[in-house]
Amino acid sequence: MSREAVTPLCGLLNDGVQQMGFSGHPKAVALKVTVALNFYAYASFQGLTGQLRRVIQSAVHRCRREVTDALYQRAGDHVHFRTNPESQAQRPNGFDAIVGFPQVQGFIECTHVAIKAPAGRPAAYINRKGFHSLNVQLVCDHCKRFMQNCAHFSGSCHDAVILPQSQVLLLSTELAQIEGWLLGDKGYPLQTWLLTLVRNPTSDAERRYNVCHRATRATIKQAIGMLKMCFSSLDRSGGALQYEPERVARMVAVCCTLHNYTINRVESLQDEERREKDSSSYNEDTEGLQQERRMGDWKASRQRMQGEQRARDV
């Protein structure tokens, strides 16, 4: 994240992050925010972040915790499933542009975030790949923004077990009133508002449906890849997060918030550039029209003067 992106983020967190250090010395909000961002982005160990920012490990721990709690309180402002008419129209159009799958309101998928073995019931957190994790359920739109996240279930929980206990089930009543549905892989049960793959396709239509379904699924795969690439603390390659599951669940929600914040900022900058381009193009067109008008007035004046001269000659 650039300085231009971090500065307004610090402004958003001014009320939630104290401007004093934990030892009584002043500590800028920007320092605390950048310490937390470095931790999310580069490593799952606080000591490495402290070396990057020249901050002791205990201060990194407090900065990370304070910024995480402040961002978690604001997660709902950035991670939400919009049901207004404009969003309901934009999402299907965006998904339809991928491979032509109609009326898709979002895609649902689960991913694993590695954690250390919890003190209580560690075996429950061992996933099918053999390491301790949280099974995180995510819903994204066509722009790869996350509209919902649920990170409160252990790695051994099946995707279909998480679904009825998550906020998606609450959304299902709203989805029933929306012209569209979510898409999910074969790990989910078929619902009126959730379309899954045809397990044993027997016709060309069913095979084409599966092809379009898998191609559309690439959107959330890319979104999850972007999330873990930008915040490698969530990726197993960065090591397991050394915190209790409840704390890791908050960190996942915060990283999803930062992911959406970055996408929204890029889109706003693109819209601003587009408006400036349209404005400059409009100004050029207006100036051209005025020049043409001036040229037309000059020609008309010249023709009138020539006519008057001919009349005097006669």
Side-chain angles (χ1 to χ4, degrees), residues 267-278:
E267 288 186 349
S268 65
L269 290 175
Q270 290 175 346
D271 291 340
E272 185 177 348
E273 290 178 358
R274 193 178 300 112
R275 286 194 296 269
E276 290 179 355
K277 184 177 180 180
D278 293 342

Side-chain angles (χ1 to χ4, degrees), residues 249-267:
R250 285 200 167 207
M251 293 172 60
V252 171
V254 165
C255 289
C256 290
T257 301
L258 292 171
H259 172 90
N260 285 6
Y261 170 82
T262 305
I263 291 178
N264 291 336
R265 176 170 175 80
V266 170
E267 288 186 349

Side-chain angles (χ1 to χ4, degrees), residues 172-186:
S172 64
T173 56
E174 298 180 3
L175 289 169
Q177 303 172 3
I178 297 174
E179 293 185 3
W181 37 72
L182 297 180
L183 298 184
D185 62 16
K186 60 184 178 181

Side-chain angles (χ1 to χ4, degrees), residues 17-300:
V17 177
Q18 299 178 4
Q19 297 191 17
M20 293 296 294
F22 301 96
S23 59
H25 299 289
K27 194 177 292 293
V29 173
L31 176 62
K32 292 185 177 183
V33 171
T34 52
V35 165
L37 291 177
N38 271 296
F39 174 79
Y40 299 142
Y42 292 120
S44 57
F45 295 97
Q46 295 174 159
L48 297 177
T49 298
Q51 293 174 11
L52 287 171
R53 301 297 303 167
R54 296 182 180 180
V55 179
I56 61 174
Q57 191 271 342
S58 59
V60 173
H61 171 77
R62 296 185 181 97
C63 290
R64 178 202 54 77
R65 184 163 189 151
E66 189 174 339
V67 173
T68 297
D69 291 343
L71 280 170
Y72 185 76
Q73 296 298 323
R74 292 163 175 77
D77 298 335
H78 300 274
V79 181
H80 42 64
F81 194 106
R82 295 184 182 274
T83 57
N84 57 301
E86 183 180 359
S87 298
Q88 291 183 37
Q90 287 179 350
R91 289 192 296 262
N93 290 338
F95 279 110
D96 183 71
I98 299 173
V99 289
F101 205 119
Q103 298 302 322
V104 179
Q105 293 289 341
F107 210 106
I108 184 170
E109 181 89 2
C110 282
T111 186
H112 288 270
V113 174
I115 61 172
K116 71 173 184 178
R121 300 186 306 114
Y125 288 84
I126 300 177
N127 60 30
R128 66 182 184 276
K129 296 183 179 180
F131 62 91
H132 295 87
S133 70
L134 292 179
N135 194 4
V136 180
Q137 179 180 273
L138 298 166
V139 180
C140 84
D141 66 5
H142 62 286
C143 294
K144 303 180 182 64
R145 276 187 298 255
F146 294 113
M147 300 185 292
Q148 190 268 339
N149 69 85
C150 180
H152 302 289
F153 292 87
S154 62
S156 63
C157 283
H158 194 273
D159 299 355
V161 176
I162 299 175
L163 179 65
Q165 303 181 64
S166 67
Q167 296 177 351
V168 174
L169 189 64
L170 300 176
L171 288 172
S172 64
T173 56
E174 298 180 3
L175 289 169
Q177 303 172 3
I178 297 174
E179 293 185 3
W181 37 72
L182 297 180
L183 298 184
D185 62 16
K186 60 184 178 181
Y188 292 101
L190 181 65
Q191 303 283 348
T192 55
W193 48 270
L194 176 60
L195 299 183
T196 60
L197 289 167
V198 177
R199 290 185 178 273
N200 298 303
T202 57
S203 65
D204 291 339
E206 290 178 345
R207 283 188 282 270
R208 287 195 300 271
Y209 166 86
N210 279 358
V211 169
C212 291
H213 192 289
R214 290 191 179 96
T216 309
R217 183 190 180 193
T219 302
I220 195 166
K221 287 293 186 182
Q222 293 167 359
I224 293 173
M226 290 168 58
L227 178 69
K228 291 188 174 183
M229 180 181 67
C230 293
F231 306 105
S232 61
S233 58
L234 302 183
D235 190 68
R236 192 186 177 195
S237 62
L241 286 164
Q242 305 296 302
Y243 306 97
E244 293 302 314
E246 294 77 13
R247 180 57 58 179
V248 176
R250 285 200 167 207
M251 293 172 60
V252 171
V254 165
C255 289
C256 290
T257 301
L258 292 171
H259 172 90
N260 285 6
Y261 170 82
T262 305
I263 291 178
N264 291 336
R265 176 170 175 80
V266 170
E267 288 186 349
S268 65
L269 290 175
Q270 290 175 346
D271 291 340
E272 185 177 348
E273 290 178 358
R274 193 178 300 112
R275 286 194 296 269
E276 290 179 355
K277 184 177 180 180
D278 293 342
S279 177
S280 62
S281 177
Y282 173 78
N283 292 335
E284 290 176 359
D285 293 342
T286 303
E287 184 178 352
L289 289 172
Q290 291 176 351
Q291 186 175 359
E292 290 178 2
R293 188 176 297 112
R294 289 194 297 269
M295 183 64 70
D297 293 342
W298 178 80
K299 289 180 178 179

